[in-house]
Amino acid sequence: VCERCRRPEVVCYCRFVTPLATRTRVVILQHPRERDVPINTARIASLCLPDAELLVGTRWDRPFGDPARPAALLYPGPGAIDVEETPPPGPITLVVVDGTWWQARKLVRSNPELARLPRYAFRPPKPSDYRIRKEPQADYVSTIEALVHMLGVLERDRERFEAMLVPFRAMVDAQLAYAAERRPSRHVRARKPRRIPDPHARLPEALVRRAEDLVCVYGEANAWPFGTKERAAGEDELVHWVACRVATGETFEAFVAPSGALAPSTARHAGIDASRILHGVDHEGLLEAWARFAKPNDVVCSWGRYTAELFTRAGGELGAERVDLRRAARQFANARLGAIDAFADHVGAVAAAPLGEGRAGRRLAQMVAIVTALRR
């Protein structure tokens, strides 16, 4: 095994590596599970960029940039800046998270210093050449391909950084050649490829064709535990309502004061201060504010029916045409995937910054990311 690239010597790619100097400081944060994957591309990138830092772990309590090169995170999703349309004005420290999409999202969530960084993204000009590992979406690329594109834009020299792809392609070709040698015996009948239907055909028509009308909503409830007298006396009440118009990014947020006492666990579960709820608007104030935000042609998207029911209990109306994203998710995946986090991972929906306070703001950002991913 080659000590430098950690590949078997017969498939070592070190002879293809060209060291490149950059004015951009590169910091690669690698999830521990990705470190020992033999075909991970972060190691190739670190060999091509000798000044880059490759840090393995799950927690970092440190600033990543410096005054001369402020830090920015390469991370796609809502709120990310298109690096080609709006490049940074000067040199930066480019922070790259390496791992599966689930691992990358967890690393960003677990590190406040990382989550606070401005985010940059780009749209790949062509599909990934990472043919030995399936990407969640057709326009997703490997870590090294993302670095090549970003550095080409930041350093204004796309051609120079194409050299980083030479060892990457050599590794991919070697893996494919090895796989081709392991052909089945001529006595084994090859299976006919099964035709897999397009999962997009199972999506609600409104989700596919009415992009400009889609509005994602999420609500938190004042819910007393079962067995309490307060629970027996009434139904759950809406106390936090958030929404986002997917096409424009316009958001809505309101805190609603409950008609009775606030359940002890409500604020903690919702991730917001109890005073925000207790000093919120009444139902009439909520509906007046919502009337200014809502449009006649809105197609309201909720995760399940509970959120929509909370709003209608408060006296509100959400229009005749709605989309239950949880049901659409099951139809798309043709399986029961559990919570919203599981489906977001399934389709590679990476949420950016929360679109409101507390859990509702995070869930709303996830829903917008899921709608965007499903419509690709």
Side-chain angles (χ1 to χ4, degrees):
V1 174
C2 172
E3 293 184 3
R4 190 167 176 234
C5 69
R6 299 181 185 173
R7 299 279 290 153
E9 289 183 351
V10 293
V11 288
C12 169
Y13 54 71
C14 290
R15 65 187 183 278
F16 300 107
V17 171
T18 301
L20 299 170
T22 63
R23 66 184 185 129
T24 303
R25 180 167 165 253
V26 177
V27 177
I28 304 172
L29 304 179
Q30 189 176 63
H31 193 280
R33 291 185 183 178
E34 195 71 12
R35 173 181 52 191
D36 298 323
V37 174
I39 56 173
N40 88 78
T41 66
R43 174 157 293 279
I44 304 177
S46 68
L47 294 177
C48 294
L49 303 171
D51 295 329
E53 286 186 85
L54 176 58
L55 306 176
V56 180
T58 57
R59 294 293 176 103
W60 295 275
D61 186 15
R62 50 163 281 187
F64 294 101
D66 56 57
R69 291 180 291 187
L73 180 65
L74 173 56
Y75 200 75
I81 303 167
D82 189 314
V83 72
E84 297 191 83
E85 293 182 1
T86 313
I92 64 169
T93 296
L94 181 63
V95 182
V96 183
V97 181
D98 180 63
T100 66
W101 283 104
W102 179 85
Q103 291 166 353
R105 185 171 65 180
K106 190 170 183 180
L107 287 179
V108 173
R109 282 182 178 174
S110 303
N111 291 274
E113 188 73 31
L114 194 60
R116 283 193 292 266
L117 295 179
R119 301 179 181 187
Y120 281 90
F122 64 90
R123 183 164 290 279
K126 62 179 183 177
S128 172
D129 282 336
Y130 204 13
R131 293 163 289 157
I132 52 178
R133 201 176 193 182
K134 186 178 179 181
E135 299 291 353
Q137 296 287 339
D139 58 351
Y140 286 11
V141 296
S142 65
T143 298
I144 193 167
E145 290 171 301
L147 267 169
V148 167
H149 191 94
M150 287 291 292
L151 290 173
V153 175
L154 295 173
E155 309 263 329
R156 297 178 176 84
D157 191 353
R158 296 176 188 265
E159 187 173 343
R160 184 163 73 99
F161 290 99
E162 287 289 319
M164 294 174 62
L165 295 178
V166 177
F168 165 67
R169 289 171 179 147
M171 180 191 72
V172 171
D173 290 342
Q175 287 293 122
L176 292 177
Y178 175 74
E181 290 176 0
R182 301 181 64 190
R183 292 174 181 168
S185 165
R186 63 186 179 87
H187 299 292
V188 179
R189 181 179 294 177
R191 290 185 179 180
K192 274 180 119 179
R194 190 175 54 146
R195 185 177 177 183
I196 302 175
D198 181 5
H200 291 86
R202 298 193 288 265
L203 293 174
E205 186 175 354
L207 191 62
V208 177
R209 301 188 182 278
R210 296 183 57 185
E212 68 284 357
D213 298 324
L214 299 176
V215 176
C216 292
V217 300
Y218 188 88
E220 293 284 5
N222 181 34
W224 284 85
F226 286 98
T228 60
K229 62 178 182 180
E230 290 85 358
R231 179 78 182 189
E235 297 177 309
D236 297 349
E237 278 189 290
L238 181 67
V239 292
H240 190 194
W241 181 249
V242 292
C244 178
R245 200 173 299 283
V246 177
T248 64
E250 181 186 5
T251 59
F252 176 93
E253 182 169 27
F255 296 93
V256 187
S259 58
L262 186 66
S265 61
T266 294
R268 175 167 52 84
H269 287 160
I272 52 181
D273 193 274
S275 63
R276 301 299 304 272
I277 299 173
L278 295 173
H279 293 92
V281 298
D282 58 14
H283 288 176
E284 184 177 350
L286 166 68
L287 301 183
E288 286 178 359
W290 180 253
R292 293 190 292 270
F293 175 84
K295 296 181 180 179
N297 295 328
D298 284 346
V299 177
V300 171
C301 305
S302 62
W303 188 262
R305 294 180 296 179
Y306 180 69
T307 285
E309 289 173 356
L310 285 174
F311 189 76
T312 54
R313 284 178 200 165
E317 293 184 5
L318 293 175
E321 190 150 18
R322 304 182 197 172
V323 172
D324 183 342
L325 276 180
R326 182 168 62 187
R327 183 177 180 184
R330 290 173 180 171
Q331 292 172 338
F332 181 85
N334 199 25
R336 296 177 70 91
L337 293 175
I340 188 171
D341 291 338
F343 185 70
D345 291 338
H346 180 76
V347 295
V350 182
L355 297 174
E357 291 193 34
R359 180 173 60 182
R362 296 192 300 272
R363 285 284 187 261
L364 183 63
Q366 279 186 310
M367 291 169 62
V368 171
I370 286 172
V371 169
T372 303
L374 288 178
R375 298 194 68 259
R376 284 184 180 138

